[in-house]
Amino acid sequence: MLNLSSYTKGATLITTEYTGSNFIEDIVVENLKIAKHDGNVHTRFPPEPNGYLHIGHAKSICLNFGIAQKFGGLCNLRFDDTNPTKEDVEYVDSIQEDVHWLGFDWEERKFYASDYFERLYQFAVKLIRDGKAYVDDLTAQEMREYRGTLTEPGKESPFRSRSVVENLQLFERMRSGEFPDGSRVLRAKIDMASPNLNMRDPAIYRIFHATHHRTGDTWCIYPMYDFAHPLSDAMEGITHSICTLEFEDHRPLYDWVIENVNPGVRPQQIEFARLNLTHTVMSKRKLRELVEQGYVDEWDDPRMPTISGLRRRGYTPESIRDFSDRIGVAKSNSMVEIALLEHCLREDLNARAPRVMAVLRPLKIVLVNYPEGEVEWLEADNNPEQPEMGKRSLPFSRELYIEQDDFMEDPPKKFFRLSPGQEVRLKHAYIIKCEEVVKDPQTGAILELHCTYDVETKSGGPNSGRKVKGTLHWVSAEHAIDAEIRLYDHLFLKENPDEVPEGEDFKINLNPNSLETLIACKVEPSLASAEAGSRYQFLRHGYFCLDTKESRDGKLVFNRTVSLRDSWAKAVKS
Ligand code: ATP
Ligand code: MG
């Protein structure tokens, strides 16, 4: 067995052939073999605190922390907070909670790009001194015109030839707040004729009189992402700076900044394809819009693809990590089916969730031959696949609830549930037979069913093996507890919600029926002691999680995490 950690920290190279499980790991392994980056592996997860993390970020977290773990390296958490206006401490807190919940830890390495503002400023001064940056007074409009196009080179700004001394003075005056927003920028002096537009003297500092959530009013100039990011990586000793594909065209600039500022270490940018999921939008701007305009409850609405939403819905961190492994790391953009994520969740919950009985739309049945006032406690497995999860006792009595749609007065041929004169087994209990349908004389609505039970068909009884076609779940009317149950469907009807007719936006693809609330459900009494956030399989219905926000003062609210029908497994089999 190969000890991967012996590849790292400059340790002696072992010769066992090892290829990574994706192309980024392959790069890391190749680097380690030649002791690039001094044989270190150091990654970072760099969220901008301008929203809650979503499943796409989870992919990036699993990748960055996962690679560090696998190769005995380290992974930092870095808040990329260089844009003062959109950021908030609420987001900073939620991001930390979410990364921890996913099962990863940055130890003492939590950083903020804003902590580097002074050093970044000094790096910019260095570029000016070396004649590699200049203050430009062109307006934004003029800058766009001078920039050229993909087919035409750009034009040099008349301010490009300013002297070093003048640039140093102007940059300092920018810092001290003498100029209004947008009146000047600091630009890297690279190449206005470069075929790569990012290299045509990109802005690296802009004036922005705005209060920053951490540095307050100390600064009125802020570094641009393309300048701050490579240098933040370098200052933290990052070896592999993993980012998404849209930064591929920025890599020459990343490298230019590192080469020309020369901070001493040379992190390596590697791009991978961002995760897209069917029936899901992943842009923070769009998710924020859904929250702020009230289309969903909050960032942690169980329909949201945010980590906090998935958590509240009942997802486990294990299922999300498993999903992240299975989708792998791609070099070109594609869309992953949400059914795969749900499949990973079902597999995990199937192994660990206790089975219980809950009736979502109750129909009362009275067992007319069952002694009045009697209660029997029946034994039930908590999880037939995991005997070590034990058993519990279920009360059985004369009046029970079954599911409304488990009864049909006039059933079609293959209906194996309850109907007049027919028999079914009640799970963990007896076979019953429907003798009479009691209706409201006025409306004709079914009020209750009168049934008989066969005393010999109890588990362990003389006729326990008698077969009938259907088995139903049920609860004892007297013992059941009331619950509210929320059923969820995809938040968007279309596979790709971003596909919209001209002039419309993604919100026209919202699913009007993404939430169905059932307020008169009956669940078995063992759930009275359920802890918020705990997950169950409701027999025949799916997996449910006791809501952490709204279950209080004895009120039980369950979220349906996922139904039992596994469209992914089906599609793979067929
Ligand atoms: P913004 O549009 O606000 O920049 P962002 O989705 O890029 O949004 P960041 O906070 O900058 O959000 O992302 C932090 C990290 O997560 C980045 O390294 C980014 O590449 C990665 N990331 C974001 N979205 C995805 C995604 N859908 N799949 C994989 N990684 C992602
Ligand atoms: Mg980003």
Side-chain angles (χ1 to χ4, degrees):
M1 182 63 194
L2 170 64
N3 177 4
L4 290 167
S5 64
S6 59
Y7 267 132
T8 63
K9 303 278 173 219
T12 341
L13 183 65
I14 42 178
T15 50
T16 318
E17 273 309 311
Y18 175 79
T19 40
S21 52
N22 59 56
F23 82 93
I24 299 184
E25 289 187 8
D26 288 343
I27 293 174
V28 171
V29 169
E30 287 313 307
N31 290 167
L32 288 170
K33 284 183 181 166
I34 57 168
K36 192 172 171 180
H37 307 298
D38 296 330
N40 289 325
V41 176
H42 201 149
T43 56
R44 84 288 172 263
F45 172 63
E48 184 178 352
N50 62 350
Y52 280 62
L53 298 182
H54 54 56
I55 180 78
H57 294 114
K59 169 75 216 175
S60 175
I61 293 166
C62 292
L63 183 60
N64 278 294
F65 281 93
I67 282 182
Q69 269 171 7
K70 187 160 183 180
F71 295 98
L74 300 170
C75 181
N76 297 356
L77 174 64
R78 182 197 315 141
F79 291 102
D80 180 12
D81 58 349
T82 53
N83 184 350
T85 51
K86 294 188 293 180
E87 297 161 0
D88 205 306
V89 276
E90 178 194 348
Y91 301 137
V92 169
D93 293 342
S94 74
I95 288 169
Q96 296 181 67
E97 186 184 354
D98 291 349
V99 176
H100 272 152
W101 179 78
L102 275 177
F104 298 106
D105 189 18
W106 53 89
E107 299 169 315
E108 70 292 348
R109 295 177 314 281
K110 175 176 84 181
F111 300 111
Y112 293 85
S114 56
D115 286 342
Y116 307 139
F117 281 169
E118 183 59 42
R119 286 163 80 189
L120 291 168
Y121 179 84
Q122 296 305 335
F123 284 138
V125 167
K126 177 178 189 296
L127 283 183
I128 298 175
R129 284 220 167 86
D130 294 344
K132 291 172 180 167
Y134 61 98
V135 174
D136 198 344
D137 304 356
L138 290 182
T139 64
Q141 171 65 23
E142 287 166 333
M143 288 240 289
R144 265 193 300 278
E145 286 162 17
Y146 275 67
R147 199 162 177 237
T149 63
L150 282 172
T151 48
E152 285 165 51
K155 222 166 56 177
E156 292 187 355
S157 161
F159 303 99
R160 199 178 200 260
S161 50
R162 272 184 165 143
S163 72
V164 167
V165 173
E166 191 185 1
N167 278 319
L168 285 172
Q169 279 168 355
L170 282 171
F171 190 46
E172 201 179 324
R173 290 174 63 197
M174 278 170 64
R175 176 183 183 163
S176 65
E178 284 186 40
F179 308 124
D181 288 0
S183 58
R184 288 182 164 84
V185 291
L186 184 71
R187 297 177 76 173
K189 193 188 276 188
I190 308 180
D191 179 6
M192 287 308 290
S194 169
N196 183 336
L197 269 72
N198 295 306
M199 299 297 273
R200 295 186 188 169
D201 291 10
I204 56 176
Y205 261 92
R206 60 184 170 152
I207 303 173
F208 211 166
H209 292 266
T211 306
H212 185 279
H213 72 111
R214 295 190 73 245
T215 57
D217 294 320
T218 310
W219 293 90
C220 64
I221 55 172
Y222 290 93
M224 304 297 286
Y225 176 89
D226 283 328
F227 182 70
H229 203 81
L231 294 171
S232 303
D233 283 344
M235 285 185 272
E236 292 175 18
I238 300 304
T239 55
H240 300 82
S241 178
I242 300 167
C243 64
T244 40
L245 227 46
E246 66 274 21
F247 291 102
E248 196 170 13
D249 289 345
H250 296 240
R251 191 181 345 129
L253 179 52
Y254 185 103
D255 292 340
W256 184 94
V257 169
I258 294 293
E259 203 166 300
N260 288 279
V261 173
N262 195 12
V265 284
R266 285 176 165 258
Q268 169 180 6
Q269 175 177 306
I270 305 168
E271 309 88 16
F272 73 105
R274 63 171 54 229
L275 167 66
N276 298 304
L277 264 190
T278 54
H279 302 287
T280 308
V281 299
M282 214 82 96
S283 137
K284 277 190 279 189
R285 180 183 61 74
K286 290 177 183 163
L287 295 176
R288 193 178 316 111
E289 205 173 313
L290 294 177
V291 175
E292 285 171 359
Q293 298 179 13
Y295 290 96
V296 295
D297 178 23
E298 293 276 349
W299 284 95
D300 66 353
D301 185 300
R303 290 165 293 176
M304 289 281 271
T306 50
I307 297 177
S308 52
L310 296 171
R311 174 166 63 233
R312 196 169 154 206
R313 174 86 168 249
Y315 274 77
T316 59
E318 291 82 357
S319 63
I320 296 176
R321 295 201 302 261
D322 178 34
F323 170 71
S324 171
D325 278 352
R326 290 201 209 191
I327 56 176
V329 184
K331 278 191 209 182
S332 61
N333 282 318
S334 65
M335 195 168 276
V336 174
E337 280 191 52
I338 196 163
L340 176 59
L341 176 62
E342 293 172 346
H343 172 75
C344 295
L345 177 63
R346 280 189 195 94
E347 277 205 351
D348 189 31
L349 292 178
N350 181 43
R352 64 162 91 202
R355 275 55 171 162
V356 293
M357 294 200 281
V359 174
L360 273 48
R361 298 171 183 88
L363 169 63
K364 190 172 218 175
I365 63 177
V366 180
L367 301 178
V368 290
N369 61 341
Y370 194 90
E372 259 178 76
E374 187 165 317
V375 180
E376 271 176 281
W377 290 85
L378 307 172
E379 209 171 58
D381 290 324
N382 286 330
N383 186 338
E385 298 187 18
Q386 312 269 342
E388 67 279 8
M389 285 175 70
K391 295 178 187 295
R392 68 190 185 291
S393 293
L394 277 174
F396 186 86
S397 65
R398 184 179 155 91
E399 298 196 349
L400 310 166
Y401 292 114
I402 62 166
E403 223 47 80
Q404 282 168 18
D405 62 7
D406 279 337
F407 173 78
M408 275 184 97
E409 199 172 8
D410 201 5
K413 253 210 171 105
K414 290 205 168 163
F415 186 78
F416 298 128
R417 291 172 270 169
L418 201 58
S419 56
Q422 292 302 306
E423 286 188 317
V424 292
R425 177 173 284 280
L426 296 181
K427 182 79 181 171
H428 305 301
Y430 301 91
I431 289 177
I432 63 164
K433 181 175 184 181
C434 176
E435 309 284 357
E436 190 192 346
V437 183
V438 182
K439 294 183 182 174
D440 183 320
Q442 242 92 65
T443 65
I446 298 173
L447 295 177
E448 57 185 38
L449 306 177
H450 287 178
C451 303
T452 50
Y453 82 113
D454 178 350
V455 67
E456 295 193 342
T457 55
K458 184 180 175 178
S459 147
N463 240 334
S464 63
R466 184 152 82 80
K467 291 269 183 288
V468 284
K469 285 234 163 96
T471 301
L472 308 185
H473 62 277
W474 53 275
V475 293
S476 163
E478 178 195 337
H479 304 89
I481 41 185
D482 295 329
E484 177 177 319
I485 295 182
R486 298 176 180 176
L487 304 178
Y488 300 102
D489 198 354
H490 299 317
L491 189 50
F492 292 94
L493 289 168
K494 262 205 171 164
E495 283 210 340
N496 180 2
D498 289 318
E499 239 169 48
V500 288
E502 186 74 28
E504 295 284 356
D505 87 351
F506 72 103
K507 297 196 293 301
I508 64 156
N509 289 323
L510 277 165
N511 177 1
N513 303 314
S514 58
L515 168 64
E516 182 184 1
T517 304
L518 304 172
I519 54 168
C521 310
K522 300 282 184 184
V523 302
E524 66 166 73
S526 71
L527 289 172
S529 58
E531 274 177 41
S534 48
R535 308 170 183 95
Y536 298 89
Q537 186 191 100
F538 289 180
L539 285 185
R540 300 172 68 222
H541 281 306
Y543 296 97
F544 292 75
C545 171
L546 187 59
D547 192 75
T548 45
K549 254 189 167 169
E550 298 191 27
S551 307
R552 64 176 101 82
D553 309 326
K555 182 183 175 195
L556 295 181
V557 177
F558 286 95
N559 296 312
R560 183 170 69 191
T561 309
V562 67
S563 68
L564 291 173
R565 202 167 28 117
D566 193 335
S567 57
W568 179 264
K570 255 199 202 137
V572 171
K573 262 189 211 143
S574 63

